[in-house]
């Protein structure tokens, strides 16, 4: 069975909840899921997965969360050319650089040679009904890119 690995950063819980929604969507599609907080993993663990997902919030006017910076740097050194990736996360539209960390991870994954399997999903604070639908579609698109 295919494996999806989800790594998240979350300070107040919104992004953890987003990661959980994506995990449940994968499970409903018969995909094995590993879900980890970002300080608990090394980026090279993505090498074991078929689908690689980062869920991150954005901090301090467009910055990456401090706890995910190491993983961000390690990630760009990897060759993930056979893998499918997707990025999602939470931010706050109050800030000019809404969900910039999501875009930063999109660029980092692109450097690894991985294939972007779905458009990034950016959630304003906590996931509402329509965000949950977007996250479920996100998971479905990622799975649809797997080689049958
Ligand atoms: N959200 C953004 O989209 N862009 C930002 O630049 C940004 N800067 C922030 C700076 C501070 C000091 C704080 C407290 C929040 C900031 N946010 C920003 C909002 C958080 O990303 C948002 O609250 C998010 O839901 C937190 O996710 P979490 O609950 O998973 O920790």
């Amino acid at each position: 069975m295919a494996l999806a690995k989800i790594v998240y950063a979350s300070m107040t819980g919104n992004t953890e909840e987003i990661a959980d929604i994506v995990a449940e969507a994968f499970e409903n599609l018969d995909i094995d899921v590993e879900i980890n907080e970002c300080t608990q993993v090394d980026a090279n663990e993505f090498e074991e997965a078929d689908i690689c997902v980062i869920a991150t919030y954005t901090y301090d006017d467009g910055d990456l969360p401090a706890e995910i910076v190491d993983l961000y740097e390690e990630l760009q050194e990897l060759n993930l050319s056979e893998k499918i990736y997707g990025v999602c996360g939470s931010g706050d539209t109050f800030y000019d650089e809404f969900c910039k960390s999501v875009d930063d991870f999109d660029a980092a994954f692109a450097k690894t040679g991985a294939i972007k399997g779905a458009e990034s999903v950016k959630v304003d604070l906590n996931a509402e009904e329509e965000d949950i639908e977007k996250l479920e579609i996100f998971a479905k698109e990622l799975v649809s890119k797997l080689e049958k």
Side-chain angles (χ1 to χ4, degrees):
M1 204 149 70
L3 173 68
K5 185 164 189 71
I6 304 172
V7 177
Y8 68 89
S10 187
M11 191 167 51
T12 61
N14 292 333
T15 315
E16 183 174 5
E17 193 187 338
I18 288 166
D20 286 341
I21 292 164
V22 174
E24 193 179 329
F26 280 136
E27 281 165 0
N28 289 338
L29 294 164
D30 284 333
I31 300 292
D32 281 338
V33 181
E34 283 177 12
I35 178 164
N36 301 98
E37 198 274 332
C38 63
T39 59
Q40 305 301 308
V41 288
D42 290 324
N44 62 13
E45 293 179 35
F46 278 127
E47 290 169 352
E48 311 303 319
D50 303 291
I51 299 174
C52 309
V53 174
I54 292 275
T56 182
Y57 66 99
T58 299
Y59 204 58
D60 263 351
D61 297 330
D63 278 357
L64 293 170
E67 68 273 24
I68 208 167
V69 169
D70 283 352
L71 187 116
Y72 173 76
E73 284 169 2
E74 286 166 24
L75 179 67
Q76 301 179 54
E77 306 300 317
L78 300 177
N79 175 357
L80 297 177
S81 54
E82 305 289 303
K83 317 292 182 188
I84 309 295
Y85 81 87
V87 188
C88 56
S90 174
D92 184 341
T93 51
F94 168 83
Y95 293 91
D96 288 340
E97 307 249 41
F98 175 60
C99 281
K100 180 164 182 291
S101 298
V102 169
D103 294 334
D104 289 343
F105 267 100
D106 186 3
F109 268 123
K111 282 190 195 165
T112 70
I115 300 155
K116 183 171 180 169
E119 279 309 308
S120 303
V121 179
K122 299 176 178 178
V123 174
D124 189 17
L125 298 171
N126 63 309
E128 308 272 358
E129 201 55 45
E130 68 186 62
D131 302 304
I132 295 172
E133 279 171 28
K134 282 186 198 163
L135 291 163
E136 288 170 350
I137 291 168
F138 171 80
K140 205 176 271 184
E141 285 183 359
L142 291 170
V143 172
S144 75
K145 302 294 189 309
L146 290 172
E147 299 236 342
K148 295 281 162 353

